[in-house]
Amino acid sequence: MKLNNKFWLFVIVCITFTSFIAVTLAVLFWRQISLSEQQILLHVFKAQFWYFFSAAVFLFTAFGFTLDWFFRFYILPLNQLIEETQVMNTVNPAHRLKIDGSREIQTLARLINDCGDQYESAKHIIDQTVESAKAKTEAEKNILATIMAELTQGVLICDTVGRILLYNRQAQRVLNKVQRPSVVDDVEKDHDLETDGFVGLHRSIYSLLDRNLVQYALKDIQGKLETKKENVSAHFVVVTQNRRQLRVETLPILDEDKRFAGFVLIFSDITLQLEHAGRLNQHLKIMAKKLRSSIAAIRSTVDLMIQFPDMGAHQKSDFLENISVETQSLSRLLRTELTETISFVNSRWPLSPIRATDFIDALKNETKAIADLMVEVLECDARCMIRVDSYSLVLSIGFVLECLKKELNVDCKRVRLSAPGNLVQLDLIWQGEPVKIEALRKWSDLPLTGVQKGYPLTLKEVLEHHNAEIWPQTDEQNNHEACLRFFIPMVHSEAVSENIRHVTLLPKGRPEFYDFDLFNQAGQTPEMGKRMLGELTYTVFDTETTGLDPRGGDEIISIGAIRAVNGRLLHTETINQLVNPSRPIPAESIKYHDIDDGMLEEKPTIEKVLPFFHRFAQNTVLVGHNAAFDMRMLQMKEKSTGISFINPVLDTMLLSAILHPAHNDHTLDTISKRFGVTIIKRHDALGDAIATGEVFLKMIPLLNEKGIYTLQAALTASQRSYYAMLKY
């Protein structure tokens, strides 16, 4: 209830109570006097009725004006004084009180303004001192930020649940599957907006990378930490939708107590490297063919000369000439085509050394189909090492087992590991006939989608990356058993050389250069309503429309949005997208937002923009000013786009009415002025969204002072506001 309503309700109650007492006393007095005295009083009242009536009207009028004056000059200014002092004391120290009221109220306002001047002057001196002290640290921070931004590798840091805490430009470039609409707007007018994947603070890395890949790497790291190995990094490869291949190195971050606090992902685009390796490999095959041809020609010539030692001089000269030509050809081949090292091929895929027996253990732990199999280790030294990408090779073996089960109705019962010579042999053994070579070739060309949905590599590609092969075999000791044998190159432990990555420990204090507060925050849960307002992630948004009647056919022509994380606006994560409404824009609307029909002709329609915005705002709380109107505009498009916004919504207009009930004006301009927020561009979707975001962040401490700490408390308080009853 508004303050003036409360006051007048109090006045009415007081008047009613006073009148009741007066009437009660009059009745009692009337009953105490005699009949003759009653007649005398009635005669006097009738004779002087208009006098008594005029006096009563005058007294009630004077009483009413007195109450109204008291309310306007004492009660209402006092509440405004409290509210505006709170603004000065929290979000806008430069704000000054301008209140109409009694002389005492105005004197109190001047004293508060004087205190504000003194506080601001002292704060200015303190700020200068702090800024001077921070100058050196800020310079170091900028140096590190520049180095991070210009690294050739993408770097991305996540907390324990996979939320992004820090990323550089290269990580955003290689991981973003979406081209931002603000860029598309000006460059590629016919671009069809995509909706999968954003790189941004507090977003989940699992919306960009396969959760299984990351979890497999983290599990590998956890095992290395438990066994106290020196090198605790893990590697895997990501193949994007456009077949680009990213090498990813995973490193753990431990807190001061050596507990897992997050992880680092380092990305390298190895697509060109692999393509070059493929060309080099093909080149080597061609060279090998030429070498075999030349050597065969020389050998056959020499054999003939040995077989016929008494041949004529002319024939011997021809044979020697032939040998000379072939040796010159070999010399040219060695000189021109074998100068490049073959070691580049071996580095084309990030393979990590592992003991063969450890790989078998990992195989049993990760593949359900192998978990119950009997494992035999024959002729294999415990130090026998192989270099593999465990994840992809495990998927390959699981894929082969599925093919055996589905196509040949074969159940593999045994796995045998042996290491004769320089090859490690891994046998999948079953009772029955061996696999035909034609079936094996068909399986080799299939992607491993049966084991891991969406995994793009084929069995053949994985084996080639490992320099491994697979062949059907018949068991020499038991003719009733058949097997498929994987041949994997062996590496010697002394030949293993890696760049060792050491554990990153967080200092007990806060790091100098970056804000890692999100390490200690809770994850997004269904109980979002219980979370503190300062912990939530927000998408502050605004729309511009052709008019103010959603049901009457008015359309969205612009959407602007900015993310707020950890109490600050992220100006690098915004949307500023014009939308083609497929209808003319009224001239009255153009006067407000300066968007005309010509500016929207080549822009995408709402059917393309809305899915993009929905993805951008996923798992966040929506914030808007007069958000009921914007939400209604979005809801009108649910049927045509299939997009439904179920995010919790906070409205700065309703929150302002909660914080400052003594004020009647809660427009964005008025609130911004009260909080000291400058609106860069009014009636521009992104400009209004940024201003709304700044206002909202300044409201949070004021809400806390009123006992409103959580999202649910803010929503409940908003529902009690008068403005919550507005419908569109």
Side-chain angles (χ1 to χ4, degrees):
M1 184 181 294
K2 289 189 175 182
L3 183 62
N4 57 346
N5 293 338
K6 289 182 179 179
F7 176 78
W8 288 112
L9 179 61
F10 170 75
V11 170
I12 293 172
V13 171
C14 291
I15 292 174
T16 303
F17 183 71
T18 304
S19 300
F20 175 76
I21 294 176
V23 170
T24 302
L25 292 175
V27 170
L28 292 176
F29 174 76
W30 184 263
R31 290 183 177 181
Q32 294 297 323
I33 63 177
S34 64
L35 183 62
S36 59
E37 291 173 335
Q38 291 177 357
Q39 290 176 350
I40 293 172
L41 288 176
L42 287 174
H43 177 74
V44 172
F45 182 76
K46 291 179 180 178
Q48 304 298 328
F49 172 77
W50 289 107
Y51 175 79
F52 285 111
F53 178 77
S54 299
V57 171
F58 175 77
L59 288 174
F60 276 106
T61 303
F63 183 68
F65 276 109
T66 301
L67 288 176
D68 183 71
W69 177 86
F70 183 77
F71 174 77
R72 293 182 181 277
F73 286 90
Y74 281 93
I75 302 299
L76 184 61
L78 187 60
N79 281 273
Q80 292 177 344
L81 193 69
I82 294 172
E83 293 173 359
E84 296 202 22
T85 303
Q86 286 178 334
V87 173
M88 287 180 58
N89 192 40
T90 53
V91 297
N92 187 12
H95 183 66
R96 293 296 177 265
L97 308 183
K98 297 178 182 179
I99 296 175
D100 294 329
S102 65
R103 183 174 58 185
E104 293 81 2
I105 294 292
Q106 292 182 357
T107 301
L108 182 59
R110 284 196 298 272
L111 291 174
I112 293 175
N113 286 337
D114 291 341
C115 290
D117 292 337
Q118 295 176 11
Y119 169 77
E120 192 172 13
S121 176
K123 184 176 181 297
H124 179 69
I125 295 174
I126 293 173
D127 288 343
Q128 284 185 328
T129 305
V130 171
E131 287 298 322
S132 176
K134 288 173 59 179
K136 183 177 180 180
T137 302
E138 189 66 23
E140 294 175 351
K141 173 183 174 181
N142 292 336
I143 292 172
L144 180 60
T146 302
I147 294 173
M148 283 287 295
E150 298 305 324
L151 286 175
T152 57
Q153 292 177 310
V155 178
L156 189 147
I157 299 176
C158 298
D159 63 6
T160 54
V161 296
R163 286 177 300 175
I164 299 173
L165 307 176
L166 170 68
Y167 61 90
N168 66 353
R169 188 181 306 152
Q170 282 68 28
Q172 188 176 35
R173 183 178 297 126
V174 299
L175 284 179
N176 259 341
K177 299 178 183 177
V178 181
Q179 188 166 6
R180 297 167 62 83
S182 55
V183 177
V184 175
D185 201 351
D186 296 327
V187 181
E188 297 180 8
K189 297 182 178 180
D190 296 328
H191 182 70
D192 187 12
L193 298 177
E194 300 290 344
T195 59
D196 7 330
F198 286 93
V199 173
L201 293 181
H202 222 195
R203 295 190 184 277
S204 175
I205 187 61
Y206 301 124
S207 66
L208 300 162
L209 300 179
D210 184 356
R211 180 185 292 269
N212 294 309
L213 278 172
V214 180
Q215 292 297 324
Y216 190 93
L218 295 179
K219 187 179 294 186
D220 184 25
I221 289 173
Q222 188 65 39
K224 292 179 179 179
L225 290 173
E226 292 174 356
T227 56
K228 298 182 179 180
K229 291 187 177 180
E230 186 179 10
N231 186 7
V232 294
S233 64
H235 301 82
F236 60 89
V237 170
V238 175
V239 182
T240 64
Q241 294 178 351
N242 58 357
R243 302 289 292 179
R244 297 200 68 80
Q245 299 175 12
L246 306 179
R247 182 183 190 270
V248 185
E249 184 176 9
T250 310
L251 302 171
I253 298 176
L254 306 181
D255 61 18
E256 66 275 8
D257 298 321
K258 295 187 177 181
R259 292 175 299 188
F260 195 76
F263 55 92
V264 181
L265 299 176
I266 302 175
F267 298 88
S268 301
D269 191 338
I270 59 173
T271 306
L272 294 178
Q273 179 184 0
L274 294 179
E275 290 176 355
H276 182 56
R279 290 193 297 269
L280 182 59
N281 199 20
Q282 185 64 27
H283 184 63
L284 290 174
K285 290 180 180 179
I286 296 173
M287 269 197 309
K289 184 177 180 180
K290 292 180 180 179
L291 283 170
R292 284 194 297 268
S293 176
S294 296
I295 292 173
I298 294 173
R299 183 172 181 177
S300 62
T301 302
V302 172
D303 287 342
L304 287 173
M305 293 181 68
I306 294 174
Q307 187 176 0
F308 302 102
D310 298 329
M311 67 177 61
H314 182 68
Q315 272 187 315
K316 185 178 292 187
S317 177
D318 290 341
F319 281 173
L320 291 175
E321 180 67 23
N322 186 32
I323 293 174
S324 176
V325 170
E326 293 298 336
T327 53
Q328 290 178 10
S329 176
L330 284 175
S331 178
R332 285 195 303 270
L333 187 65
L334 292 172
R335 185 174 61 254
T336 61
E337 300 189 26
L338 281 181
T339 54
E340 296 185 45
T341 177
I342 195 172
S343 62
F344 178 80
V345 180
N346 297 327
S347 65
R348 60 181 183 167
W349 188 267
L351 305 179
S352 302
I354 185 175
R355 290 189 302 178
T357 51
D358 290 344
F359 175 74
I360 289 295
D361 292 337
L363 191 66
K364 292 190 65 177
N365 292 334
E366 297 297 329
T367 308
K368 294 181 180 179
I370 300 180
D372 299 328
L373 297 184
M374 183 176 65
V375 176
E376 299 177 8
V377 179
L378 305 175
E379 303 176 15
C380 187
D381 193 324
R383 294 173 295 176
C384 175
M385 304 284 289
I386 55 177
R387 193 184 293 272
V388 297
D389 172 27
S390 295
Y391 184 76
S392 60
L393 196 56
V394 166
L395 286 184
S396 300
I397 296 172
F399 173 75
V400 171
L401 290 172
E402 284 194 5
C403 290
L404 288 171
K405 179 68 176 177
K406 291 180 179 179
E407 298 192 19
L408 302 181
N409 197 25
V410 167
D411 287 320
C412 181
K413 299 298 183 182
R414 294 165 52 206
V415 174
R416 182 170 59 204
L417 180 69
S418 58
N422 290 322
L423 288 176
V424 172
Q425 297 177 1
L426 181 65
D427 297 338
L428 306 179
I429 305 172
W430 66 90
Q431 293 284 341
E433 297 295 325
V435 178
K436 294 183 179 180
I437 193 66
E438 293 79 8
L440 189 59
R441 287 175 178 171
K442 184 182 73 171
W443 298 350
S444 297
D445 293 330
L446 296 177
L448 306 181
T449 52
V451 181
Q452 177 61 47
K453 184 177 180 180
Y455 196 77
L457 295 182
T458 64
L459 175 63
K460 180 180 179 180
E461 288 175 321
V462 173
L463 294 178
E464 285 182 350
H465 291 319
H466 289 81
N467 293 319
E469 295 184 359
I470 180 172
W471 289 98
Q473 299 283 333
T474 301
D475 196 289
E476 298 176 357
Q477 300 177 357
N478 190 342
N479 293 331
H480 298 291
E481 287 187 344
C483 77
L484 277 176
R485 177 167 294 171
F486 288 84
F487 295 92
I488 306 171
M490 183 190 302
V491 295
H492 298 286
S493 56
E494 61 270 14
V496 175
S497 176
E498 284 192 292
N499 292 324
I500 296 178
R501 295 283 192 174
H502 297 280
V503 177
T504 303
L505 293 177
L506 291 179
K508 291 188 177 181
R510 188 167 174 166
E512 267 185 32
F513 304 108
Y514 291 100
D515 186 353
F516 283 92
D517 285 347
L518 293 180
F519 275 128
N520 302 315
Q521 294 182 0
Q524 297 271 357
T525 67
E527 300 178 347
M528 187 181 294
K530 297 180 181 179
R531 293 187 56 188
M532 305 294 286
L533 291 172
E535 295 179 353
L536 294 165
T537 301
Y538 301 93
T539 298
V540 191
F541 78 108
D542 185 62
T543 64
E544 297 298 329
T545 61
T546 57
L548 302 177
D549 187 4
R551 292 191 182 94
D554 279 316
E555 300 284 346
I556 297 173
I557 58 175
S558 178
I559 294 180
I562 184 170
R563 279 167 52 84
V565 177
N566 205 27
R568 61 191 180 97
L569 295 179
L570 305 180
H571 290 272
T572 58
E573 298 183 31
T574 61
I575 289 178
N576 188 18
Q577 179 63 47
L578 295 176
V579 183
N580 188 343
S582 302
R583 57 156 289 180
I585 303 176
E588 295 78 8
S589 298
I590 298 176
K591 295 178 182 178
Y592 288 96
H593 46 59
D594 293 327
I595 300 175
D596 54 36
D597 295 324
M599 298 169 62
L600 305 179
E601 287 181 359
E602 303 297 331
K603 304 305 176 186
T605 61
I606 194 65
E607 286 74 19
K608 294 182 178 179
V609 174
L610 209 56
F612 181 85
F613 175 59
H614 183 267
R615 179 68 176 175
F616 183 85
Q618 189 175 17
N619 298 325
T620 65
V621 178
L622 291 176
V623 178
H625 188 81
N626 191 12
F629 175 79
D630 299 289
M631 291 304 298
R632 184 58 180 163
M633 294 298 297
L634 297 178
Q635 291 165 1
M636 293 297 291
K637 293 299 175 184
E638 285 187 5
K639 290 184 179 179
S640 60
T641 62
I643 298 297
S644 177
F645 287 85
I646 60 174
N647 312 54
V649 180
L650 289 176
D651 190 333
T652 52
M653 183 176 69
L654 306 185
L655 296 177
S656 177
I658 296 168
L659 293 173
H660 303 140
H663 290 73
N664 293 323
D665 190 353
H666 299 286
T667 63
L668 182 59
D669 298 276
T670 303
I671 300 174
S672 299
K673 185 177 180 181
R674 189 182 304 150
F675 285 175
V677 173
T678 302
I679 304 179
I680 300 175
K681 188 176 181 182
R682 190 69 170 100
H683 296 297
D684 172 79
L686 181 57
D688 287 350
I690 293 174
T692 302
E694 293 180 358
V695 165
F696 173 71
L697 294 180
K698 291 191 174 186
M699 284 181 170
I700 292 179
L702 295 178
L703 290 169
N704 293 161
E705 287 189 2
K706 287 187 172 290
I708 301 173
Y709 297 100
T710 65
L711 174 62
Q712 186 58 53
L715 292 172
T716 302
S718 297
Q719 290 175 351
R720 295 196 295 263
S721 169
Y722 164 77
Y723 294 99
M725 295 183 292
L726 291 178
K727 304 295 181 184
Y728 292 89

